[in-house]
């Protein structure tokens, strides 16, 4: 498990360049371009279970969902940041990707620290210190539990019939 | 305690008398905007569309605008898929290439109405706050779910109140004002928030208000909204938009705000957002003399008639510098036609400008007007992110149409007040 650590205002163009927006839509098309203009090593080295740390306003900019979809597809366990832009927060939940807003954990993290996350319990442990993060509202939790908004919607439609 | 605009609209649309900040409500938006990404959206729900169809053929507004005309076979196949979807499901509100940039089309064609809710799979959906609409961006997956169910949840945002006083000076524009605000509060200064504009709003034209609301997302805003006044009513009249049954909504005088700011419009100066964040705002004077390889007037932020007029007035009878190039992009077919009638297009092309199709063009780097490594672009668009215009070793500076036009003459960043 690796931790990828980035700064403030990581925008959607850095996470997935706009020039691919209308040619790459599936997870397989998106994966090779993830974080291309931010960290060229990322796409080749990322592994399932990795965690991303970042500063404030993570995911600002475009409403494109490829970053959320791609990061979920490569198996990112969670993104821990000081804060997230609202569209990215929504888009990630809709993909079933866990976002953790926890400035204390971000401040505490130093390269090489061991990080563990207990999503159900709402805690993140950085180098032995436990930090709590706020629970998602019920509506978003239901989407996360279903594995994403499409799965949630399919269930809803089925139950309507 | 009174309610803000956001509280009132979300209360009304969710069937509640009142709603509190942070409360989550279920709403059925009046319209769902999607564009070239419609092909990817419907691709997610092929089976469900076969089984259930779309919830309401009047809900989607689909505009093909992002990569037009198609640059590659893949784009063309995406556009074809959209046209087939529109026919098969009887989508009522469809606009093919050339009609304009989606946000301009939604606004000109009367889909954005006072007190309404529009969600769109594009972050600049917030633009319709200019006409008192609760409008916000969502992702493709959410758009797909909305096509099937027509409903979603929204959290009631806290609100920032910005009071405007006085008038802007000559060659200072609404773009300078909104960039100044973003520079002050930061790119996440309004994250999750509604932003309401109060005060001497009457001194701003509809084009001004649209440019400001369009940039709401660049301060992180969920919505950015203006009240309805005589200027808005005149816009609706001029565009033949009937607002019967859509009464304007505005905040109560005793509504509670998270933050209040006041701006003296007379004190606003021409500014530029320097690379690579929109809140990296500097006075034009601080950057004067910076060589610019490409000047770009257009986009959903500044591609309206008054923007083209501003540029044409500055460039009339003159030639742009041989060291730069100038791209012109009217935001819609109707604006292009008006600008042709008024002679602005002729003036701009004669001065050395290159006229682009009425779509998103160079703004997002997918085609047209891409930059080379080491080049600098001065643009009237809304984003200057690294790599945004197709090249991560290029730099994008954001400014008003006046500043871009004045800079095209010299090939370097120039204060438009000097070209007056």
């Amino acid at each position: 498990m690796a931790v990828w650590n980035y700064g403030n205002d990581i925008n959607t163009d850095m996470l997935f360049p706009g020039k691919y927006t209308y040619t790459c839509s599936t997870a397989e098309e998106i994966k090779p371009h993830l974080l291309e203009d931010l960290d060229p090593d990322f796409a080749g080295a990322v592994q399932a279970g990795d965690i991303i740390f970042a500063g404030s306003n993570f995911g600002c900019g475009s409403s494109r969902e490829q970053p959320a979809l791609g990061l979920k597809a490569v198996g990112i366990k969670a993104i821990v940041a000081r804060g997230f832009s609202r569209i990215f927060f929504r888009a990630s939940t809709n993909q079933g990707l866990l976002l953790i807003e926890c400035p204390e954990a971000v401040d505490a993290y130093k390269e090489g620290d061991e990080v563990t996350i207990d999503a159900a319990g709402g805690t993140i442990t950085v180098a032995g210190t436990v930090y709590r993060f706020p629970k998602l509202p019920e509506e978003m939790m239901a989407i996360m539990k279903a594995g994403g908004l499409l799965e949630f919607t399919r269930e809803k439609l089925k139950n309507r019939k | 305690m009174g309610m803000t605009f956001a509280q009132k609209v979300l209360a009304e649309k969710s069937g509640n008398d009142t709603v509190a900040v942070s409360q989550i409500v279920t709403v059925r938006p009046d319209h769902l905007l999607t564009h070239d990404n419609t092909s990817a959206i419907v691709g997610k729900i092929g089976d469900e569309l076969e089984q259930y169809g779309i919830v309401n053929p009047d809900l989607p507004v689909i505009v093909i605008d992002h990569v037009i005309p198609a640059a590659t076979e893949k784009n063309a196949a995406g556009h074809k898929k959209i046209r087939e979807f529109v026919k098969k499901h009887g989508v009522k509100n469809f606009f093919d290439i050339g009609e304009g940039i989606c946000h301009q089309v939604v606004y000109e064609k009367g889909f954005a109405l006072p007190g309404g809710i529009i969600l769109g799979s594009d972050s600049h959906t917030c633009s319709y706050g200019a006409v008192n609409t609760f409008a916000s961006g969502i992702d493709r997956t959410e758009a797909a779910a909305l096509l099937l169910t027509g409903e979603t949840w929204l959290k009631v945002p806290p609100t920032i109140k910005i009071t405007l006083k006085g008038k802007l000076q000559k060659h200072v524009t609404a773009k300078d004002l909104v960039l100044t605000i973003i520079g002050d509060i930061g790119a996440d200064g309004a994250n999750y928030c509604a932003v309401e504009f109060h005060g001497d709003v009457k001194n701003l034209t509809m084009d001004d208000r649209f440019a400001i609301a369009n940039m709401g997302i660049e301060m992180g805003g969920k919505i950015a909204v203006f009240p309805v006044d005589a200027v808005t009513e005149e816009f609706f009249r001029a565009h033949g938009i009937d607002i019967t049954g859509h009464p304007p909504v505005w905040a109560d005088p005793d509504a509670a705000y998270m933050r209040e700011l006041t701006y003296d419009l007379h004190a606003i100066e021409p500014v530029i957002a320097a690379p690579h964040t929109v809140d990296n705002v500097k006075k034009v004077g601080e950057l004067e003399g910076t060589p610019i390889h490409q000047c770009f007037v257009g986009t959903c932020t500044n591609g309206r008639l008054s923007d083209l007029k501003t540029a044409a007035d500055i460039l009339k009878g003159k030639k742009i510098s041989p060291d730069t190039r100038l791209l012109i992009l009217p935001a819609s077919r109707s604006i292009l036609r008006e600008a042709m009638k008024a002679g602005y297009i002729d003036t701009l092309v004669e001065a050395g400008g290159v006229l682009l199709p009425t779509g998103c063009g160079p703004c997002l780097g997918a085609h047209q007007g891409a930059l080379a490594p080491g080049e600098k672009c001065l643009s009237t668009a809304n984003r200057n992110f690294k790599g945004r215009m197709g090249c991560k070793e290029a730099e994008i500076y954001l400014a008003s149409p006046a500043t871009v036009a004045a800079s095209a003459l010299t090939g370097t960043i120039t204060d438009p007040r000097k070209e007056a």
Side-chain angles (χ1 to χ4, degrees):
Chain A
M1 194 279 292
V3 173
W4 303 83
N5 194 14
Y6 303 111
N8 295 330
D9 296 316
I10 303 299
N11 63 60
T12 44
D13 278 285
M14 289 161 140
L15 297 171
F16 184 81
K19 61 188 169 192
Y20 305 127
T21 317
Y22 300 99
T23 47
C24 301
S25 300
T26 65
E28 290 315 307
E29 290 168 335
I30 293 166
K31 281 178 187 175
H33 301 298
L34 281 171
L35 279 60
E36 187 170 286
D37 286 352
L38 172 67
D39 180 354
D41 297 333
F42 180 86
V46 66
Q47 296 202 333
D50 286 2
I51 296 170
I52 293 175
F53 270 69
S56 58
N57 207 23
F58 188 90
C60 61
S62 162
S63 67
R64 77 184 63 131
E65 71 180 8
Q66 284 95 332
L69 198 156
L71 291 171
K72 172 73 180 175
V74 297
I76 287 293
K77 182 168 187 185
I79 305 175
V80 186
R82 295 183 63 84
F84 297 92
S85 83
R86 69 157 281 276
I87 299 180
F88 185 78
F89 201 98
R90 205 169 170 111
S92 297
T93 307
N94 288 343
Q95 297 304 326
L97 172 64
L98 179 65
L99 301 191
I100 297 174
E101 194 170 301
C102 187
E104 300 80 9
V106 171
D107 289 344
Y109 175 76
K110 293 184 302 298
E111 199 180 329
D113 282 352
E114 195 181 327
V115 180
T116 54
I117 292 168
D118 173 4
T123 62
I124 173 169
T125 308
V126 179
T129 308
V130 179
Y131 303 91
R132 301 202 65 82
F133 57 85
K135 259 195 179 168
L136 285 175
E138 210 178 296
E139 288 77 0
M140 295 183 97
M141 197 60 106
I143 293 167
M144 288 292 287
K145 272 189 187 149
L149 182 63
L150 285 183
E151 292 74 8
F152 177 82
T153 304
R154 284 185 189 118
E155 278 304 304
K156 194 157 108 177
L157 288 168
K158 221 181 280 171
N159 295 336
R160 236 183 230 180
K161 286 275 154 178
Chain B
M1 180 61 76
M3 290 199 285
T4 61
F5 169 85
Q7 284 175 297
K8 283 192 176 176
V9 172
L10 294 178
E12 161 77 20
K13 294 285 187 177
S14 64
N16 290 295
D17 291 333
T18 60
V19 292
V21 169
S22 290
Q23 185 177 337
I24 289 181
V25 295
T26 300
V27 295
R28 300 186 75 83
D30 300 300
H31 289 291
L32 166 70
L33 166 76
T34 62
H35 45 66
D36 299 32
N37 57 23
T38 311
S39 53
I41 291 165
V42 302
K44 292 172 183 291
I45 49 171
D47 292 346
E48 290 75 16
L49 284 171
E50 284 298 324
Q51 198 178 343
Y52 306 103
I54 60 173
V55 66
N56 167 9
D58 190 40
L59 175 72
V61 178
I62 301 176
V63 186
I64 305 184
D65 65 348
H66 269 57
V67 185
I68 62 111
T72 64
E73 180 182 332
K74 206 161 179 185
N75 300 137
H79 294 176
K80 182 170 175 235
K81 191 169 170 182
I82 297 169
R83 294 180 190 113
E84 289 166 354
F85 166 75
V86 164
K87 282 217 171 81
K88 183 167 178 186
H89 291 276
V91 171
K92 284 188 186 164
N93 315 307
F94 172 62
F95 302 92
D96 212 323
I97 69 166
E99 195 64 42
I101 304 173
C102 58
H103 304 307
Q104 184 63 27
V105 172
V106 164
Y107 161 81
E108 273 178 10
K109 303 282 182 191
F111 296 108
L113 294 169
I117 296 182
I118 296 186
L119 298 178
S121 59
D122 188 285
S123 59
H124 293 107
T125 300
C126 55
S127 305
Y128 326 139
V131 284
N132 198 239
T133 308
F134 186 108
S136 199
I138 53 168
D139 55 284
R140 293 176 179 184
T141 295
E142 179 121 24
L146 272 164
L147 278 176
L148 294 169
T149 68
E151 69 177 22
T152 191
W153 61 274
L154 288 173
K155 189 170 163 180
V156 181
T159 298
I160 297 175
K161 177 180 182 177
I162 299 183
T163 303
L164 307 174
K165 292 201 164 150
K167 274 186 183 174
L168 293 164
Q169 297 192 54
K170 192 174 183 207
H171 291 300
V172 180
T173 75
K175 182 66 163 292
D176 298 303
L177 168 63
V178 72
L179 286 175
T180 300
I181 296 171
I182 295 167
D184 289 349
I185 71 172
D188 61 350
N191 199 12
Y192 298 105
C193 297
V195 181
E196 288 178 3
F197 289 91
H198 291 249
D200 292 335
V201 166
K202 63 177 190 299
N203 293 337
L204 297 175
T205 65
M206 280 318 297
D207 287 3
D208 291 338
R209 298 178 199 187
F210 196 99
I212 292 168
N214 176 273
M215 299 286 288
I217 182 65
E218 308 312 330
M219 53 185 102
K222 183 170 194 158
I223 63 166
V225 67
F226 285 84
V228 170
D229 64 4
V231 176
T232 333
E233 282 164 2
E234 177 50 32
F235 165 83
F236 287 131
R237 257 195 306 277
H239 286 79
I241 299 166
D242 181 7
I243 59 164
T244 313
H246 300 275
V249 176
W250 199 233
D252 292 320
D254 60 342
Y257 293 97
M258 190 187 93
R259 188 173 178 189
E260 298 193 33
L261 298 161
T262 300
Y263 281 87
D264 172 9
L265 300 191
H266 190 79
I268 301 294
E269 292 185 59
V271 291
I272 285 184
H276 294 284
T277 56
V278 185
D279 59 2
N280 187 18
V281 175
K282 299 176 190 305
K283 298 253 163 67
V284 168
E286 291 175 59
L287 295 165
E288 224 164 3
T290 307
I292 294 295
H293 306 94
Q294 179 166 290
C295 296
F296 177 27
V297 175
T299 76
C300 58
T301 317
N302 281 129
R304 272 166 289 281
L305 195 64
S306 64
D307 301 315
L308 299 173
K309 180 185 189 311
T310 297
D313 286 349
I314 290 172
L315 291 168
K316 192 163 182 69
K318 298 176 183 168
K319 293 277 183 219
I320 64 167
S321 160
D323 294 326
T324 196
R325 46 195 191 262
L326 172 64
L327 308 181
I328 303 295
L329 194 158
S332 72
R333 173 176 282 139
S334 76
I335 291 169
L336 171 61
R337 294 187 66 203
E338 289 294 318
M340 285 196 292
K341 280 183 212 157
Y344 306 150
I345 299 297
D346 191 46
T347 298
L348 293 166
V349 171
E350 193 186 6
V354 176
L355 182 64
L356 296 177
T358 50
C360 299
C363 180
L364 73 161
H367 71 152
Q368 292 173 359
L371 299 172
E375 285 195 323
K376 296 183 200 309
C377 178
L378 183 64
S379 166
T380 62
N382 40 39
R383 290 207 173 116
N384 59 355
F385 300 160
K386 196 175 179 180
R388 174 87 181 166
M389 291 177 78
C391 171
K392 66 173 173 174
E393 283 99 29
E395 292 187 330
I396 306 165
Y397 295 74
L398 305 178
S400 73
T403 302
V404 175
S407 302
L409 284 174
T410 59
T412 61
I413 289 178
T414 300
D415 190 323
R417 292 171 296 189
K418 292 190 176 163
E419 294 296 327

